[in-house]
Amino acid sequence: MCAMSQVVRVAQLSDTHFLEHGAEPEGGHAYDTDAAFDAVVDHLGEHSHLDMVVVTGDVADHGRAGQYQKAAEAFSRFQVPVNVCPGNHDFHAPFNVGIGRPGVSTSRAMEVQNWAFLFVDSSAGLMNVDESGLHVDPPGEERLHNNGSLGSREASWIRQMCEETSAEHVFVWLHHPPAPTVPLCHDDNYSAEWSALLSDVSIIRGLAGGHTHVPDEHVVVDRPVFVAPSLKNNFSIDPQTWLPPGYRTYEFMPDGAVTSDLHLVDDDRWPRRPFGRALKSLFMGEISFEELAEIVDRRASS
Ligand SMILES: [Fe+2]
C-alpha cells in the first residue's frame, strides 16, 4: 500500500471565531474575523494541490446559530472538502446543526491515502447525559472556559479507531493541543490523558490543534503537536508581540512523516506590535482574565 500512496496536502484553519455583524467579541481585543478570513482565503489561494481544509474549532465566537450560518457559508467558498471539529466556544447542539452543508462536514473520521484522520472533540469529557440519554453540554459557561477534557468515552473511541483502521498511519485533529506551551491554556489532567494514549497507541503520528492563539510546535511523547494561529487575535509570547492572523499547511508522507508550515498574513489592519506586561502575565497564568480586565479598565480611566 505504501508504494502506491501519494502525499496528502491539507490546510488547517483554527479559531475563526465568526461573529454576527456589529456583535461584541467575547473578551474583546479582536481583529475583524470576517476580514481575517478573507485575507487567509486569498493567501491560501497561492497553494495548489490541496486535498482538503480542516478547521479545528472555536468556529463561532459565542456558539450562536447565526455565527455558524456565517461560518458554513464562508467555509463553502473553498474548492476542496472542508471538515470541522468543535472547540470550547462551539456549543454542541448549534455546532452540529449549523455547520453541515455540501462540501462542509463534521465527520469524526476519514481515510485519505494510507492515513486515517481522527477529528476529536477535546471537550467531550465535560458532556453530561440528559434524561433522554443524549449527551449535552454542561450548564452555563463550563464548556467555554475549559482547557480540554477527553473523558473515557472519547479516549476509548480513539483507541478503538486506531485498532480497527486499515490505514497505516493516524493523525489527530482537535481543538486543544495536549501540553501546550502557554501556561494559561494548560490542564494537567488533559495532558495526562494524552500522555497515556500516546504511550499506548503507536500508530498515532502527530496531532494538530489551536486554542492558545499562540502558534507554535512542540513534542508530546515523541509526537509532533502543531498549533495553528487564530483569526481573532494572535500572539507571540517571546518576544511579546501581536501577530497577524494565519493558518498552517501540512504534507502527510506515505511513510508516516508529517511536515507543517506556519503562514501569517501580514497587513496594516493587524500590525505586529509589542504588548505589555499584563497580557504576558495572563499567558503565564499569573493573573486571570478578570484581573486583566480590571487592569485595562484602570488604565483607561486614569
Ligand atoms: Fe479560540
Side-chain angles (χ1 to χ4, degrees):
M1 179 192 277
C2 194
M4 301 286 291
S5 297
Q6 309 282 317
V7 175
V8 181
R9 294 183 173 84
V10 178
Q12 179 201 14
L13 275 63
S14 197
D15 298 79
T16 51
H17 288 274
F18 279 96
L19 199 61
E20 304 94 337
H21 182 69
E24 276 297 306
E26 199 264 338
H29 309 290
Y31 309 137
D32 176 337
T33 50
D34 291 354
F37 183 81
D38 289 345
V40 162
V41 171
D42 284 349
H43 202 270
L44 250 175
E46 296 166 16
H47 299 273
S48 54
H49 312 303
L50 279 180
D51 292 292
M52 66 179 297
V53 171
V54 167
V55 185
T56 50
D58 282 5
V59 168
D61 203 36
H62 305 88
R64 293 197 289 249
Q67 297 173 354
Y68 291 113
Q69 186 180 355
K70 201 167 178 180
E73 283 166 10
F75 297 158
S76 62
R77 287 165 53 190
F78 289 113
Q79 302 297 308
V80 294
V82 180
N83 202 65
V84 189
C85 65
N88 46 295
H89 281 241
D90 295 315
F91 290 95
H92 186 70
F95 173 85
N96 284 320
V97 169
I99 287 291
R101 61 187 57 203
V104 184
S105 58
T106 54
S107 297
R108 299 273 284 140
M110 58 180 68
E111 295 192 2
V112 189
Q113 301 289 336
N114 61 340
W115 284 84
F117 290 161
L118 300 186
F119 296 87
V120 166
D121 180 358
S122 55
S123 302
L126 301 174
M127 302 292 276
N128 294 329
V129 180
D130 73 6
E131 58 280 359
S132 56
L134 289 174
H135 288 260
V136 295
D137 277 324
E141 298 201 329
E142 193 180 337
R143 181 177 180 116
L144 183 65
H145 296 305
N146 95 92
N147 274 329
S149 174
L150 285 180
S152 57
R153 203 169 64 116
E154 193 77 354
S156 300
W157 175 76
I158 295 167
R159 287 174 189 270
Q160 184 185 354
M161 295 302 288
C162 289
E163 274 171 27
E164 292 179 358
T165 183
S166 58
E168 291 177 88
H169 316 293
V170 171
F171 191 82
V172 172
W173 302 99
L174 78 184
H175 183 65
H176 298 91
T181 55
V182 180
L184 171 71
C185 302
H186 185 91
D187 183 281
D188 284 343
N189 291 332
Y190 179 64
S191 293
E193 287 182 300
W194 271 110
S195 292
L197 264 172
L198 293 172
S199 299
D200 291 348
V201 185
S202 60
I203 196 173
I204 298 175
R205 309 295 183 219
L207 306 90
H211 183 56
T212 64
H213 299 208
V214 177
D216 73 357
E217 188 176 329
H218 60 281
V219 172
V220 175
V221 195
D222 301 327
R223 308 321 201 279
V225 178
F226 303 101
V227 181
S230 154
L231 273 62
K232 178 176 179 176
N233 45 40
N234 237 356
F235 307 91
S236 155
I237 295 181
D238 188 19
Q240 295 168 211
T241 311
W242 286 72
L243 296 177
Y247 60 99
R248 298 194 78 104
T249 50
Y250 294 81
E251 288 194 343
F252 295 89
M253 308 300 179
D255 67 357
V258 189
T259 61
S260 175
D261 291 320
L262 170 66
H263 308 270
L264 296 172
V265 184
D266 281 286
D267 191 282
D268 291 345
R269 291 169 291 181
W270 32 75
R272 298 186 187 221
R273 57 190 168 91
F275 61 79
R277 176 70 213 170
L279 195 48
K280 168 101 181 255
S281 295
L282 177 77
F283 284 122
M284 300 312 289
E286 296 160 0
I287 60 171
S288 65
F289 279 103
E290 290 73 23
E291 287 167 319
L292 176 67
E294 282 170 24
I295 293 169
V296 170
D297 286 348
R298 244 190 345 259
R299 284 183 188 159
S301 61
S302 65

